[in-house]
Amino acid sequence: MAMDFPQHDPAVEALVAGRHGDPFALLGPHGEEVRSFQPGARGVSVLAREDGAELGRLERVHPAGLFAGRVARRAPYRLRIEWPHSVQETEDPYSFGLLLGPLDMHLFAEGRHLELGRVFGAQAMVVEGVPGVRFAVWAPNARRVSVVGDFNGWDGRRHPMRRRQETGVWELFIPRLAPGAVYKYELLGPDGAMLPLKADPVALATEMPPATASRVLDPAPFVWSDEAWMASRAARQGPEAPISIYEVHPGSWWRDAEGNAPDWDRLADRLIPYAQGMGFTHLEFLPVMEHPFGGSWGYQPLAMFAPTARFGPPEAFARFVNRAHEAGLGVILDWVPAHFPTDAHGLYRFDGTSLYEHADPREGFHLDWNTAIYNFGRNEVRCFLLASALHWLERYHVDGLRVDAVASMLYRDYSRPEGQWIPNRYGGRENLEAVSFLQELNALVAERCPGAIMVAEESTAWPGVTRPSQEGGLGFSYKWNMGWMHDTLRYMERDPAHRSWHHDDMTFGLVYAWSERFVLPLSHDEVVYGKGSLLGKMPGDPWRRFANLRAYLGFMWTHPGKKLLFMGGELAQPTEWNHDQALPWALLDDPNHRGMQRLVHDLNAAYRGLPALHRRDCAPEGFRWVVGDDRAQSVFAYLRLGEPQDPPALVVCNLTPVPRHDYRIGVPRGGAWREVVNTDGAAYGGSNVGNGGQVWAQPVPSHGFGESLCLVLPPLATLILVPGA
C-alpha cells in the first residue's frame, strides 16, 4: 500500500466524497508515485506514453476507487483503466501543468481579456502532443468545480478542476475527449451545497433545446470567401449609404410542408435570394444566441457565445453569413447584454453567489421580465460581455449588432417604483457603470472590427447615443427612432377625418431627425402582444387599410433615416406574428397582398437608386420642407437632397381618401418631373389615380421656388417624383 495515503486521511475522504477543492494536490504524479481516482474501476496501470511499456501497476488504496503506486521511472505516461466491461487507455488529466498563462489571468481580472471565446469554455486542442479538451470556467466562490458528461457518467468526482487562486478560474485538460462531447459543470457552492448542474457560460455550441448541456465545438476554422464584402462593407454601412433592413425570426419566416423550421442551409436557399430580390441591403435576426425558451424569441439568452442549435451547428450559421455576403447582403444580430433568465442551469447565482448579477434585487432583478441584470461594474462581467460581442463580429463575420433594451441599462430606475432602485454615487438615476460599459464596447468594436456597425434600441431622449465615445457619447453607429415610430403609427391609426388635428405627429420627427443617426423601425415589437399587424392598425374598409399602409411605407422609405421592416410587413400580413407558424405566404395569391410586396420592392429600388433618398440621410442639408403645414388637407410635401450633382426627389403624401386635383407645389428645377413611385398605382392594388407618370413644371412661383408642379394627388398615397423625362 502506498504510504502517502494513511487510513482515514481527511483529504482523501474529501477527494473520494467529491468535496476536495484541490485535486492536483493529491492526484497525478508526485515524485516516484502516481495517484488516480477511478470510481468503479477494477484496476489501473501506468504505461509509458512513448512506447506503451508498463511502468507500474497501481494499488487500490481506498475502496471508493483511489489507486496509487510507484512507477519504474519518471516519464510522460498514460493510464490503462480496467472497467467492468472494457479497458480504457488515456493520459492522466492530473499530469498536466497550468493551462492558462499569467497574462490570461491578468487580463481577465482587469476586464480586458477580449478572447474569452478562444480561451475559456471548452477548447479542443493538443497539449504536449496529446489531443483533448481544455476547460476553463470562472467560479471564484465555489468550493469545488468538476466537468461532467457522458464521458464520465456525469460523476463529479471523476474530473474535478484546478482552481487558479488569483482569479477564481477553474481549469482542466481532459485527454482524448473529442469535439461533439456534451458537458456541464458540477459545482459546490461556498456553503458546500451541491448546485444544479451548470451549462458553460462560454460554451461555443450547445445541445438542442430543451436539452441544456454544452457541447465541445470542432476547432477546425471556417473557410470564408467573403473578402470582397468585408473590404467594402464600411462604405455599404456608412451614414451616406442606403441601408434597408429586413428583420427576421429564423424559426418562423418559412417552414416546410410538415411544419418544421428550416436549418441555416435551407433557410439560406430561400431567404437570401428573397431578401436580395426584394432589394433589402441587410438581414437582421432576432437573437440567435442559445436560449432555453423559444417563446422569448431569443431575448432571454444564456449562451452568449453559441448559435442556437435549433437551426444547425455553428458552422452552418457561418455558412449562412458567408452566403449572404456573397449575395451582397449584410447580417446584423440582435444582442442582449441587459439581462439574462434565471434558469437553474444558467448564469444566475452561478457559483452559489450573485456572480454575473447584482446581489441586491433593486439593481440585479428586472421586474418587467423576471430576469437578472448584469453587474456592469464588475470587471469579469464586462469582460464576458465585451468578448461575446467581439466573438460574433470576428468569428462569424457579422456586420453589426443591434443592442437590445439599452434604455433599461442606462437608468437605474427604469420601470421601477419609488424606493425600489438605488441611486448612483452622485444621487442620480443614471447607471454610470452601464454607460461606461457601452462606451467601451462601441470604442472596441470601432477599433477592432472596421466597418461593423452598432445599433441601439434606445427609447428615451438620452443625449449623444450616436456621438463618439471619446466625445462623451455612447458611441453607437445608429439608434432606433422609437419616437418617430410611435408618433407616426399613432397618426396612421386614426380615421383620416381626424388626422388634421394630429398633423404634428407626422412632422415632429423632423425637429430632432439629425440629433442622432437614426434607423426607422417597424419591428417585431409592433406586431405582437395584442398590437395587431401593420395592416390591422390601419383604419377603414379593406381598400382604405391597404392604401393607408402603402402610403405609410412610402412616407417611411422617403423620410430621413435608415429603414427596418419586420418580416410579413411586406406581405401586408393581416394578423399578428406567431412565432410558432410560418409567414402566410399564400397571401400572395391575392393581388392586394402581392401589390404590397411589389411596392416594398420598388421602394427599396428607389431608395437605393436615387442618391437624394440616402446620400445625406443623416444631415439636415438632405431635407427641405415644401408643404409641412397643410393640416386641413393632411398633405405633406418635402424634398430629399443629395450632393449638388444629384437630382432632388420630391415626395408628396396625401393622407386622406380624397383625391386632390390641381395641387400646386414649388420645385427647384424646371422641365419634366417623372413619377418614380405612386403608391396608388394599379400594380400595387391602388386606384391608379396620378399624373400619368410625368408632369411638367410651370413658371409659376410657389413655396419659394420660381417653378412649380400642378399635381393630382391620389387618395391615401405617397408620390416620389424626380426631374428628368
Side-chain angles (χ1 to χ4, degrees):
M1 177 176 290
M3 300 306 296
D4 290 341
F5 285 92
Q7 293 290 324
H8 310 300
D9 185 322
V12 173
E13 295 301 329
L15 177 74
V16 300
R19 310 193 70 82
H20 199 291
D22 186 14
F24 282 82
L26 294 177
L27 300 178
H30 288 263
E32 297 179 351
E33 191 172 63
V34 171
R35 308 163 186 169
S36 182
F37 183 45
Q38 304 293 343
R42 291 181 171 178
V44 179
S45 300
V46 179
L47 310 179
R49 192 187 300 172
E50 182 177 342
D51 57 12
E54 184 170 309
L55 301 179
R57 184 167 179 84
L58 306 186
E59 300 178 44
R60 186 186 299 271
V61 297
H62 193 285
L66 183 61
F67 295 82
R70 299 185 186 280
V71 293
R73 55 187 168 90
R74 297 184 63 178
Y77 67 91
R78 63 178 184 267
L79 301 174
R80 186 174 188 274
I81 308 167
E82 301 165 20
W83 301 104
H85 303 292
S86 64
V87 174
Q88 175 190 11
E89 288 192 7
T90 181
E91 287 73 18
D92 186 353
Y94 301 97
S95 67
F96 294 87
L98 296 178
L99 302 173
L100 301 182
L103 182 59
D104 290 316
M105 297 296 96
H106 174 74
L107 292 175
F108 179 62
E110 288 197 343
R112 296 190 297 115
H113 202 313
L114 304 177
E115 306 291 341
L116 293 192
R118 303 179 188 277
V119 175
F120 280 27
Q123 303 291 335
M125 59 176 56
V126 176
V127 176
E128 298 178 11
V130 179
V133 178
R134 184 189 70 197
F135 294 88
V137 63
W138 178 53
N141 302 301
R143 287 193 181 182
R144 186 264 294 164
V145 181
S146 297
V147 187
V148 294
D150 292 335
F151 52 87
N152 62 14
W154 299 89
D155 185 344
R157 300 173 301 166
R158 293 272 303 277
H159 289 103
M161 305 174 77
R162 184 204 309 266
R163 177 189 169 95
R164 302 295 296 271
Q165 297 295 334
E166 63 270 41
T167 57
V169 171
W170 300 74
E171 62 177 25
L172 187 69
F173 178 69
I174 301 183
R176 306 296 168 179
L177 198 59
V182 296
Y183 69 97
K184 284 186 177 182
Y185 296 114
E186 183 182 277
L187 297 89
L188 298 184
D191 59 356
M194 185 80 72
L195 301 177
L197 293 183
K198 294 287 188 175
D200 191 341
V202 191
L204 301 179
T206 67
E207 281 190 298
M208 173 75 77
T212 58
S214 305
R215 189 180 293 277
V216 179
L217 183 64
D218 188 330
F222 183 79
V223 179
W224 294 90
S225 56
D226 62 348
E227 296 83 2
W229 168 270
M230 297 296 283
S232 66
R233 75 173 181 182
R236 293 172 180 259
Q237 302 193 143
E240 295 189 346
I243 297 179
S244 181
I245 303 166
Y246 189 50
E247 188 189 29
V248 173
H249 177 259
S252 60
W253 182 77
W254 167 78
R255 296 195 171 193
D256 63 22
E258 287 73 41
N260 299 313
D263 59 18
W264 286 116
D265 293 315
R266 291 199 299 158
L267 190 65
D269 291 340
R270 290 173 175 261
L271 176 58
I272 290 174
Y274 177 79
Q276 180 190 44
M278 285 291 293
F280 289 101
T281 64
H282 288 71
L283 294 167
E284 178 175 325
F285 287 114
L286 277 57
V288 302
M289 302 80 197
E290 190 62 270
H291 48 283
F293 176 46
S296 77
W297 315 325
Y299 288 100
Q300 293 195 9
L302 277 179
M304 294 292 279
F305 293 75
T308 176
R310 291 171 173 87
F311 311 119
E315 60 269 23
F317 175 67
R319 280 196 300 273
F320 183 98
V321 175
N322 195 58
R323 290 178 63 179
H325 287 173
E326 290 179 332
L329 286 171
V331 178
I332 300 169
L333 299 183
D334 283 10
W335 182 66
V336 187
H339 62 117
F340 59 90
T342 58
D343 297 61
H345 71 279
L347 302 177
Y348 186 66
R349 296 189 62 81
F350 185 80
D351 64 356
T353 69
S354 295
L355 192 61
Y356 288 87
E357 71 277 11
H358 287 278
D360 191 322
R362 293 175 296 173
E363 295 182 285
F365 190 76
H366 202 295
L367 299 173
D368 287 353
W369 303 317
N370 292 322
T371 51
I373 299 171
Y374 285 106
N375 182 349
F376 302 110
R378 187 161 194 170
N379 286 348
E380 297 91 344
V381 175
R382 290 164 68 101
C383 186
F384 171 78
L385 292 171
L386 293 171
S388 167
L390 293 172
H391 178 79
W392 297 99
L393 295 165
E394 294 178 344
R395 185 180 188 119
Y396 290 107
H397 287 205
V398 166
D399 302 294
L401 300 176
R402 176 268 198 185
V403 182
D404 183 63
V406 170
S408 76
M409 300 169 66
L410 294 175
Y411 300 97
R412 287 177 164 268
D413 63 346
Y414 182 88
S415 197
R416 291 185 182 277
E418 189 66 33
Q420 293 301 309
W421 60 280
I422 299 175
N424 64 33
R425 60 181 178 271
Y426 302 114
R429 59 196 287 253
E430 299 82 8
N431 189 328
L432 303 178
E433 294 81 8
V435 171
S436 173
F437 163 74
L438 291 170
Q439 290 175 324
E440 183 179 8
L441 166 70
N442 290 320
L444 278 171
V445 170
E447 175 188 345
R448 291 183 48 141
C449 308
I453 58 174
M454 298 293 288
V455 184
E457 186 212 15
E458 203 286 304
S459 55
T460 74
W462 185 280
V465 172
T466 58
R467 189 186 310 142
S469 303
Q470 59 269 29
E471 297 177 13
L474 295 183
F476 284 95
S477 312
Y478 299 98
K479 168 182 170 173
W480 273 22
N481 195 336
M482 310 293 280
W484 174 90
M485 179 270 296
H486 287 302
D487 290 347
T488 58
L489 277 178
R490 183 172 61 241
Y491 178 94
M492 294 303 301
E493 289 174 11
R494 298 185 188 278
D495 188 293
H498 303 142
R499 286 176 177 170
S500 62
W501 303 100
H502 304 277
H503 199 73
D504 294 345
D505 280 346
M506 296 294 275
T507 62
F508 183 64
L510 276 305
V511 173
Y512 60 88
W514 299 281
S515 62
E516 306 278 5
R517 293 186 296 274
F518 283 118
V519 172
L520 309 182
L522 291 179
S523 75
H524 66 281
D525 280 330
E526 310 320 312
V527 293
V528 291
Y529 298 140
K531 296 179 184 178
S533 66
L534 291 180
L535 182 68
K537 296 177 193 295
M538 301 296 118
D541 58 30
W543 187 92
R544 292 189 180 193
R545 289 204 304 273
F546 278 94
N548 270 302
L549 182 54
R550 291 194 301 266
Y552 181 50
L553 293 177
F555 172 75
M556 171 184 173
W557 251 259
T558 56
H559 191 286
K562 310 308 179 187
K563 324 302 175 190
L564 180 142
L565 183 67
F566 183 58
M567 63 182 204
E570 82 280 15
L571 308 180
Q573 185 172 349
T575 56
E576 284 193 354
W577 168 55
N578 183 342
H579 70 271
D580 287 324
Q581 298 176 0
L583 291 183
W585 293 102
L587 290 174
L588 294 178
D589 294 335
D590 183 311
N592 290 312
H593 294 278
R594 191 166 62 250
M596 194 72 69
Q597 184 191 50
R598 179 171 178 177
L599 174 65
V600 172
H601 170 276
D602 290 356
L603 288 171
N604 274 331
Y607 176 54
R608 297 176 71 169
L610 299 177
L613 291 182
H614 63 258
R615 189 162 284 171
R616 291 187 175 181
D617 219 14
C618 301
E621 296 81 10
F623 181 91
R624 175 175 172 174
W625 277 115
V626 181
V627 179
D629 57 357
D630 189 359
R631 64 177 61 242
Q633 299 186 91
S634 298
V635 171
F636 307 84
Y638 45 90
L639 287 165
R640 294 302 310 278
L641 306 165
E643 298 299 331
Q645 71 274 16
D646 297 327
L650 174 68
V651 181
V652 188
C653 304
N654 174 21
L655 297 181
T656 67
V658 180
R660 309 290 180 188
H661 295 274
D662 301 323
Y663 196 100
R664 187 166 296 279
I665 297 178
V667 290
R669 295 192 188 183
W673 283 69
R674 179 167 51 93
E675 218 173 47
V676 177
V677 174
N678 174 356
T679 67
D680 190 50
Y684 308 136
S687 57
N688 217 32
V689 173
N691 300 276
Q694 182 174 280
V695 62
W696 285 81
Q698 301 170 351
V700 178
S702 184
H703 301 106
F705 297 107
E707 305 270 347
S708 59
L709 303 177
C710 191
L711 295 173
V712 175
L713 305 187
L716 295 173
T718 294
L719 303 177
I720 305 175
L721 300 104
V722 297

